[in-house]
PDB file of all heavy atoms in Angstrom:
ATOM      1  N   CYS L 396     -65.480 -59.065  64.825  1.00 98.00           N
ATOM      2  CA  CYS L 396     -65.513 -57.518  64.836  1.00 98.00           C
ATOM      3  C   CYS L 396     -66.277 -56.935  66.032  1.00 98.00           C
ATOM      4  O   CYS L 396     -66.127 -55.696  66.300  1.00 98.00           O
ATOM      5  CB  CYS L 396     -66.104 -57.033  63.403  1.00 98.00           C
ATOM      6  SG  CYS L 396     -67.877 -57.302  63.430  1.00 98.00           S
ATOM      7  N   THR L 397     -66.894 -57.854  66.836  1.00 98.00           N
ATOM      8  CA  THR L 397     -67.678 -57.291  67.954  1.00 98.00           C
ATOM      9  C   THR L 397     -66.836 -57.559  69.271  1.00 98.00           C
ATOM     10  O   THR L 397     -67.294 -57.200  70.321  1.00 98.00           O
ATOM     11  CB  THR L 397     -69.016 -58.047  68.080  1.00 98.00           C
ATOM     12  OG1 THR L 397     -68.815 -59.470  67.940  1.00 98.00           O
ATOM     13  CG2 THR L 397     -69.963 -57.539  67.067  1.00 98.00           C
ATOM     14  N   THR L 398     -65.498 -57.990  69.097  1.00 98.00           N
ATOM     15  CA  THR L 398     -64.808 -58.210  70.362  1.00 98.00           C
ATOM     16  C   THR L 398     -64.514 -56.878  71.093  1.00 98.00           C
ATOM     17  O   THR L 398     -64.448 -55.825  70.557  1.00 98.00           O
ATOM     18  CB  THR L 398     -63.462 -58.850  69.990  1.00 98.00           C
ATOM     19  OG1 THR L 398     -62.792 -59.243  71.239  1.00 98.00           O
ATOM     20  CG2 THR L 398     -62.542 -57.899  69.144  1.00 98.00           C
ATOM     21  N   LYS L 399     -64.357 -57.083  72.366  1.00 97.00           N
ATOM     22  CA  LYS L 399     -63.939 -55.896  73.133  1.00 97.00           C
ATOM     23  C   LYS L 399     -62.483 -56.066  73.664  1.00 97.00           C
ATOM     24  O   LYS L 399     -62.009 -55.287  74.508  1.00 97.00           O
ATOM     25  CB  LYS L 399     -64.928 -55.724  74.382  1.00 97.00           C
ATOM     26  CG  LYS L 399     -66.229 -55.286  73.977  1.00 97.00           C
ATOM     27  CD  LYS L 399     -67.111 -54.728  75.032  1.00 97.00           C
ATOM     28  CE  LYS L 399     -68.320 -53.901  74.604  1.00 97.00           C
ATOM     29  NZ  LYS L 399     -69.429 -54.932  74.155  1.00 97.00           N
ATOM     30  N   ARG L 400     -61.857 -57.117  73.160  1.00 97.00           N
ATOM     31  CA  ARG L 400     -60.420 -57.358  73.519  1.00 97.00           C
ATOM     32  C   ARG L 400     -59.582 -56.370  72.818  1.00 97.00           C
ATOM     33  O   ARG L 400     -59.707 -56.113  71.632  1.00 97.00           O
ATOM     34  CB  ARG L 400     -60.099 -58.751  72.991  1.00 97.00           C
ATOM     35  CG  ARG L 400     -60.616 -59.919  74.095  1.00 97.00           C
ATOM     36  CD  ARG L 400     -60.140 -61.304  73.613  1.00 97.00           C
ATOM     37  NE  ARG L 400     -58.709 -61.467  73.718  1.00 97.00           N
ATOM     38  CZ  ARG L 400     -58.027 -62.565  74.095  1.00 97.00           C
ATOM     39  NH1 ARG L 400     -58.831 -63.669  74.060  1.00 97.00           N
ATOM     40  NH2 ARG L 400     -56.767 -62.675  74.320  1.00 97.00           N
ATOM     41  N   SER L 401     -58.492 -55.966  73.505  1.00 97.00           N
ATOM     42  CA  SER L 401     -57.531 -55.079  72.977  1.00 97.00           C
ATOM     43  C   SER L 401     -56.239 -55.430  73.466  1.00 97.00           C
ATOM     44  O   SER L 401     -55.219 -54.552  73.519  1.00 97.00           O
ATOM     45  CB  SER L 401     -57.877 -53.586  73.293  1.00 97.00           C
ATOM     46  OG  SER L 401     -57.933 -53.324  74.709  1.00 97.00           O
ATOM     47  N   ASP L 402     -56.087 -56.645  74.016  1.00 97.00           N
ATOM     48  CA  ASP L 402     -54.806 -57.045  74.716  1.00 97.00           C
ATOM     49  C   ASP L 402     -53.863 -57.453  73.778  1.00 97.00           C
ATOM     50  O   ASP L 402     -52.689 -57.541  74.245  1.00 97.00           O
ATOM     51  CB  ASP L 402     -55.216 -58.158  75.750  1.00 97.00           C
ATOM     52  CG  ASP L 402     -55.882 -59.323  75.090  1.00 97.00           C
ATOM     53  OD1 ASP L 402     -56.998 -59.158  74.525  1.00 97.00           O
ATOM     54  OD2 ASP L 402     -55.342 -60.603  75.165  1.00 97.00           O
ATOM     55  N   THR L 403     -54.103 -57.735  72.594  1.00 98.00           N
ATOM     56  CA  THR L 403     -52.888 -58.116  71.580  1.00 98.00           C
ATOM     57  C   THR L 403     -53.281 -57.338  70.189  1.00 98.00           C
ATOM     58  O   THR L 403     -54.307 -56.861  70.027  1.00 98.00           O
ATOM     59  CB  THR L 403     -52.924 -59.695  71.257  1.00 98.00           C
ATOM     60  OG1 THR L 403     -54.085 -59.863  70.526  1.00 98.00           O
ATOM     61  CG2 THR L 403     -52.864 -60.377  72.481  1.00 98.00           C
TER      62      THR L 403
END
Side-chain angles (χ1 to χ4, degrees):
C396 70
T397 47
T398 187
K399 293 201 169 67
R400 283 184 69 153
S401 56
D402 53 308
T403 65

